[in-house]
Amino acid sequence: SPDMGEAYARNVYPYISGALSCFSSLFSFSIGDCLIYGSMAGLLAYLVYAIVKKRSWRATAGRMIEYLLWIYVWFYLAWGLNYFRKDFFTRTEIPYAAYSADAFRSFLSTYTDSLNASFVPVEKIDKALVAEEVKKGYHEIAGRFSLVSTAGYLHPKPMLMPFLMSGVGVLGYMGPFFTEYNLNPDLLPVQYPFTYAHEMAHVLGISSEAEANLYGFLVCSRSGVPEIRFSAYFALLPYVLSNAYGLLSEEEFNEWKETISPEVKDLYNRKVAYWENLYSPFIGEIQSTVYNWFLKGNNIPSGRKNYSEVVALLMALGNTSGEI
């Protein structure tokens, strides 16, 4: 029920997330990761114990399933019910923009001009400044998009096993069990601001990856800090590329790519090579498949393709406010 999902997001989640994040902020490490990996280790240890003690397999399986069901309940009560709130267009009353070839070409032109104009070399990033800018940006748009207000004590945490997350190409994730947001220490400086803002959107009650991308873009692109502003446009590039590849003819797609500045192209290619060097195809494919199933089972019918749907949201928003 979207109405019940919206009621949870607006009236229940703020209090639950406030309590959980207040507790988790006392720790510099991710206690959500500790819960997940600890649960996996604990279940394995319990299984070994049951085998050694020759316990009934039905009783053993029952106990393990019961534990997992309580984790399942915790996930939905703590954050997961945000998957079932009203969709972006219903909640914001922004009309859905049907695909138009001319409108898409206009979007591409405007986006590319802004991407090229915003380029700055990003060798390092001031993380404290990013935190300040992102929280200020969300404070400005929270009311318009029905987001939970940010808590001053929230801060990002490093992943417990970044090598594993880099191996599957995960830049960050929101820890739902204790309202934490975890960032990959392997992030390139140019990726840090947008990833920070994207994960913050999830903390603020947004489940859609496309919406999280939208708000991350809006917050970072409005920043007065050049490095943060460029991070927004640069982060959208793979999603714009994906949409353009699927919607344009091969000739038109190649012509458009030539309008991207050499500096941006070089940085993008270096970023791709950097993450490919860390990526493990075997576990990466498993993670991608499982996460795709997970999203489809939680009211995100397009699965992982939902990330790229940020372009449609931006075009719809641009029709009503002229923003890009």
Side-chain angles (χ1 to χ4, degrees):
S1 169
D3 287 330
M4 292 182 68
E6 197 65 28
Y8 163 84
R10 292 174 182 259
N11 304 313
V12 180
Y13 175 68
Y15 295 100
I16 292 177
S17 65
L20 291 174
S21 61
C22 184
F23 172 72
S24 63
S25 67
L26 300 174
F27 304 87
S28 60
F29 56 90
S30 173
I31 55 176
D33 279 3
C34 290
L35 172 69
I36 293 171
Y37 294 124
S39 294
M40 293 168 64
L43 288 171
L44 180 60
Y46 179 72
L47 181 60
V48 172
Y49 168 80
I51 293 174
V52 171
K53 294 294 185 179
K54 297 181 179 179
R55 292 173 57 94
S56 165
W57 69 267
R58 288 187 178 181
T60 300
R63 287 291 181 86
M64 295 174 71
I65 291 172
E66 181 182 1
Y67 177 80
L68 291 173
L69 286 174
W70 280 115
I71 293 292
Y72 182 80
V73 169
W74 185 355
F75 166 76
Y76 280 105
L77 289 181
W79 183 81
L81 290 177
N82 284 309
Y83 277 115
F84 305 99
R85 65 187 307 189
K86 294 178 180 178
D87 67 82
F88 172 81
F89 297 104
T90 302
R91 200 171 66 252
T92 61
E93 299 183 348
I94 292 174
Y96 175 77
Y99 173 72
S100 160
D102 290 338
F104 182 68
R105 292 188 184 96
S106 176
F107 166 84
L108 272 184
S109 177
T110 303
Y111 163 76
T112 310
D113 289 344
S114 298
L115 171 69
N116 293 337
S118 67
F119 174 79
V120 290
V122 187
E123 302 299 331
K124 61 180 180 179
I125 201 74
D126 185 337
K127 295 181 179 180
L129 181 59
V130 170
E132 180 183 337
E133 287 289 301
V134 169
K135 288 180 181 178
K136 180 176 71 175
Y138 272 115
H139 179 74
E140 294 173 354
I141 70 170
R144 181 182 181 190
F145 296 105
S146 304
L147 307 176
V148 177
S149 298
T150 57
Y153 49 75
L154 278 172
H155 57 272
K157 297 182 178 182
M159 300 168 174
L160 199 60
M161 295 188 180
F163 65 90
L164 180 60
M165 294 297 102
S166 294
V168 297
V170 173
L171 308 184
Y173 50 82
M174 186 271 182
F177 298 106
F178 293 97
T179 314
E180 298 172 300
Y181 54 110
N182 305 282
L183 302 181
N184 195 326
D186 291 333
L187 280 170
L188 293 170
V190 70
Q191 295 177 294
Y192 185 87
F194 178 84
T195 305
Y196 186 113
H198 173 100
E199 299 308 330
M200 175 66 84
H202 289 314
V203 172
L204 303 185
I206 297 302
S207 59
S208 164
E209 299 295 353
E211 271 197 74
N213 278 342
L214 172 67
Y215 303 138
F217 173 80
L218 292 178
V219 165
C220 291
S221 64
R222 294 177 175 185
S223 172
V225 181
E227 292 81 2
I228 297 177
R229 190 163 58 250
F230 175 60
S231 179
Y233 287 98
F234 186 70
L236 281 192
L237 184 53
Y239 309 123
V240 176
L241 279 166
S242 175
N243 278 263
Y245 182 79
L247 296 172
L248 302 178
S249 67
E250 182 177 357
E251 180 182 359
E252 195 172 10
F253 176 72
N254 289 328
E255 287 178 357
W256 166 70
K257 283 201 302 181
E258 290 304 311
T259 65
I260 301 174
S261 73
E263 295 85 359
V264 173
K265 284 182 180 178
D266 179 64
L267 180 60
Y268 183 79
N269 290 333
R270 284 191 284 120
K271 182 206 76 168
V272 171
Y274 172 79
W275 285 104
E276 282 184 347
N277 187 54
L278 298 174
Y279 187 73
S280 171
F282 176 69
I283 61 173
E285 285 301 315
I286 294 174
Q287 187 270 347
S288 179
T289 300
V290 171
Y291 191 51
N292 193 53
W293 289 343
F294 172 80
L295 289 175
K296 289 185 176 183
N298 283 284
N299 208 34
I300 308 290
S302 56
R304 287 181 59 84
K305 293 180 180 179
N306 182 240
Y307 284 93
S308 294
E309 292 170 5
V310 61
V311 172
L313 300 186
L314 269 171
M315 292 181 67
L317 188 60
N319 286 346
T320 59
S321 64
E323 295 180 59
I324 171 64

